[in-house]
C-alpha cells in the first residue's frame, strides 16, 4: 500500500528550519500529515491536500519527494499492513482559521532535531533530521576579532600599517550566503506569482527588488575578487559560482517581466509545479552555500545536496515537457499566439532550474578541488 505525506516547513530569521507535526487521531502519536493517493490529484497535490485537511496548512508543494519511509498500518479488524509513504516538502505560506480535522488533532511546530525525536518511524526520523542542517554560526572569537583589530589599529598607527600588508580573505562567504537568501525570497515570490490572484503585481515587484539586491551582492563579490590578496578558492571559481547564482535570480526576474508584458493572470498546473521545484532548489542551495566555509567536514553533505539539485532539474525537465505537450494540445491549433506566450513562460522556468543545476556543478567542483 502506498501513501503520500507533506512535510510543512518554514525557515526562521536565524536560518534554522522548523517543521510541523500533527498527532494521530487514535494513538496521539506525532506524525506528518499523510493519507492515501487520490485519483484526481498528482502525488504532491494529494500531499498538500492532506496538509490542509489535517493541519489547515496552505503552502507551495514540491513535486519531487525528499524520500520515503515505511510503517505498519493497523486495520479496523486488528490486522496490519505494510505502507510506504512518499514525503513531499511543503513551503509554509499560511494556516487557515478553520480546517476539517481541526478538533481531532494537535498541531505543533518543531525544530528538526526535536521533530526527529518525536516521530517513531526510523526512516522518517532520518528524513526530518537531514532535511536542513542549520548554518554554522560564527563563534565568539570570530565575532570579537574584527572589533579588536579595529581598536588596535586606532590606538597604534604602526599596527594599521602592518595589517595593511597582511593577506585578507574578504567577505566571500557572507556574500554568497546573502545572495542565496535572495534566491529563496525570489523563488517564493515567483511561486506565489504563478498562483495568480490579486497579488501578481506585488509579487513581480518583490522579484525585481530581490534581483536588485542580488546584483548589489554580485558587484561586491567581483570587487573583492579584484582587491583581495588571498581568496578562499580560485578567483575563477568564485566568479563562476556567484555568476550562476546571479543568473538564477535574473531568470526569475525575466519570468516576472514576461508575465507583466503579456498581462497574464492564469497559469498552467505544470508551471506551478515547476515553481515548486524552484522553491525547493533555492532551499537546498541556501543550505549548501554556508557549508562551503568548511569543505572538508561538509563534503559528504554537499554531495547529497548537489545530487538533490540535479534530481530536481531532471524532474523539472519531465514536467516542462508534459506541460508543453498539454499546452500545444489545448492551444496550438486554435490559439497559436497564446501557445507561444505560454511556451515562453515555460522556457524561462526551465532556465531557472537549469541555473540551479549549474550551481550544483560549481559546488561539486569546489568539493572535488578543495575537500
Amino acid at each position: 500500500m502506498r501513501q503520500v505525506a507533506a512535510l510543512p516547513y518554514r525557515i526562521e530569521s536565524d536560518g534554522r528550519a522548523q517543521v510541523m507535526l500533527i498527532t494521530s487521531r487514535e494513538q496521539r502519536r506525532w506524525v506528518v500529515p499523510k493519507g492515501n493517493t487520490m485519483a484526481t490529484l498528482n502525488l504532491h497535490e494529494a500531499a498538500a491536500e492532506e496538509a490542509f485537511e489535517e493541519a489547515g496548512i496552505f503552502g507551495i508543494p514540491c513535486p519531487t519527494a525528499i524520500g520515503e519511509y515505511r510503517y505498519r498500518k493497523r486495520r479496523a479488524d486488528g490486522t496490519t499492513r505494510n505502507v510506504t509513504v512518499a514525503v513531499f516538502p511543503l513551503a509554509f505560506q499560511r494556516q487557515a482559521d478553520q480546517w476539517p480535522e481541526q478538533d481531532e488533532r494537535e498541531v505543533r511546530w518543531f525544530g528538526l532535531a526535536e521533530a526527529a525525536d518525536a516521530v517513531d518511524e526510523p526512516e522518517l526520523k532520518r528524513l526530518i533530521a537531514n532535511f536542513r542542517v542549520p548554518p554554522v554560526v560564527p563563534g565568539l572569537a570570530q565575532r570579537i576579532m574584527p572589533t579588536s583589530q579595529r581598536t588596535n589599529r586606532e590606538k597604534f598607527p604602526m599596527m594599521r600599517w602592518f595589517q595593511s600588508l597582511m593577506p585578507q580573505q574578504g567577505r566571500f562567504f557572507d556574500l554568497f550566503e546573502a545572495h542565496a537568501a535572495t534566491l529563496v525570497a525570489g523563488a517564493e515570490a515567483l511561486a506565489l506569482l504563478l498562483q495568480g490572484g490579486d497579488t501578481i503585481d506585488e509579487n513581480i515587484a518583490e522579484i525585481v527588488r530581490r534581483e536588485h539586491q542580488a546584483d548589489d551582492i554580485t558587484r561586491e563579490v567581483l570587487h573583492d575578487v579584484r582587491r583581495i590578496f588571498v581568496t578562499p578558492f580560485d578567483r575563477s571559481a568564485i566568479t563562476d559560482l556567484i555568476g550562476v547564482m546571479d543568473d538564477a535570480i535574473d531568470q526569475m526576474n525575466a519570468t516576472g517581466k514576461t508575465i507583466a508584458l503579456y498581462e497574464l493572470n492564469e497559469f498552467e498546473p505544470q508551471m506551478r509545479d515547476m515553481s515548486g521545484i524552484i522553491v525547493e532548489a533555492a532551499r537546498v542551495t541556501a543550505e549548501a552555500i554556508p557549508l562551503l566555509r568548511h569543505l572538508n567536514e561538509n563534503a559528504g553533505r554537499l554531495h547529497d545536496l548537489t545530487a538533490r539539485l540535479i534530481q530536481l532539474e531532471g524532474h523539472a525537465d519531465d514536467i516542462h515537457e508534459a506541460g508543453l505537450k498539454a499546452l500545444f494540445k489545448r492551444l496550438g491549433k486554435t490559439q497559436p499566439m497564446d501557445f507561444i506566450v505560454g511556451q515562453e513562460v515555460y522556457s524561462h522556468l526551465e532556465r531557472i532550474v537549469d541555473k540551479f543545476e549549474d550551481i550544483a556543478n560549481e559546488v561539486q567542483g569546489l568539493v572535488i578541488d578543495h575537500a
Side-chain angles (χ1 to χ4, degrees), residues 335-350:
Q335 298 171 270
M337 287 305 300
D338 289 342
F339 169 75
I340 291 172
V341 170
Q343 184 182 36
E344 185 172 349
V345 175
Y346 271 122
S347 178
H348 283 303
L349 294 172
E350 183 186 29

Side-chain angles (χ1 to χ4, degrees), residues 351-362:
R351 289 175 196 154
I352 296 170
V353 184
D354 286 345
K355 294 307 175 183
F356 281 105
E357 183 184 26
D358 292 342
I359 293 172
N361 292 333
E362 293 295 335

Side-chain angles (χ1 to χ4, degrees), residues 171-245:
R171 302 163 297 151
F172 294 109
F173 295 118
D174 292 338
L175 293 169
F176 285 148
E177 292 164 25
H179 199 295
T182 69
L183 294 179
V184 172
E188 291 180 353
L190 178 65
L192 293 175
L193 168 60
L194 292 176
Q195 292 179 11
D198 299 329
T199 60
I200 287 179
D201 292 341
E202 176 184 335
N203 289 314
I204 291 175
E206 175 66 6
I207 295 171
V208 171
R209 187 171 74 87
R210 296 297 183 173
E211 192 269 341
H212 289 166
Q213 288 179 348
D215 282 345
D216 292 340
I217 294 167
T218 300
R219 281 192 292 271
E220 286 293 316
V221 171
L222 297 178
H223 177 67
D224 278 3
V225 166
R226 290 191 295 270
R227 73 180 182 85
I228 298 300
F229 182 71
V230 177
T231 57
F233 310 123
D234 294 339
R235 296 174 191 276
S236 61
I238 292 172
T239 57
D240 287 348
L241 177 58
I242 198 64
V244 294
M245 292 175 68

Side-chain angles (χ1 to χ4, degrees), residues 303-370:
H303 174 77
D304 293 340
L305 294 172
T306 53
R308 173 70 172 166
L309 287 173
I310 292 170
Q311 176 195 29
L312 290 168
E313 192 276 337
H315 193 184
D317 281 347
D318 295 339
I319 295 172
H320 173 253
E321 182 179 350
L324 273 181
K325 286 183 178 179
L327 189 67
F328 182 77
K329 185 176 181 180
R330 186 167 64 87
L331 301 176
K333 296 180 180 179
T334 59
Q335 298 171 270
M337 287 305 300
D338 289 342
F339 169 75
I340 291 172
V341 170
Q343 184 182 36
E344 185 172 349
V345 175
Y346 271 122
S347 178
H348 283 303
L349 294 172
E350 183 186 29
R351 289 175 196 154
I352 296 170
V353 184
D354 286 345
K355 294 307 175 183
F356 281 105
E357 183 184 26
D358 292 342
I359 293 172
N361 292 333
E362 293 295 335
V363 170
Q364 194 59 43
L366 290 173
V367 173
I368 293 171
D369 291 343
H370 297 276

Side-chain angles (χ1 to χ4, degrees), residues 14-77:
D14 62 359
R16 296 180 183 272
Q18 289 188 325
V19 296
M20 177 176 282
L21 300 180
I22 63 173
T23 54
S24 59
R25 282 185 287 196
E26 295 180 1
Q27 300 180 4
R28 311 303 292 178
R29 296 185 302 109
W30 288 109
V31 296
V32 290
K34 68 179 186 301
N36 296 329
T37 60
M38 304 178 189
T40 58
L41 297 177
N42 293 323
L43 296 181
H44 65 288
E45 294 171 333
E49 180 64 22
E50 293 294 340
F52 169 72
E53 291 182 1
E54 298 180 358
I57 294 298
F58 293 99
I60 303 166
C62 174
T64 310
I66 57 171
E68 297 180 340
Y69 73 95
R70 284 167 285 276
Y71 78 101
R72 292 191 66 82
K73 180 179 179 64
R74 184 173 297 278
R75 298 176 175 179
D77 61 5

Side-chain angles (χ1 to χ4, degrees), residues 258-272:
T258 297
I259 290 169
L261 174 64
Y262 296 114
E263 299 181 344
L264 304 177
N265 53 31
E266 294 182 0
F267 305 95
E268 303 298 316
Q270 292 88 349
M271 292 178 182
R272 292 192 291 272

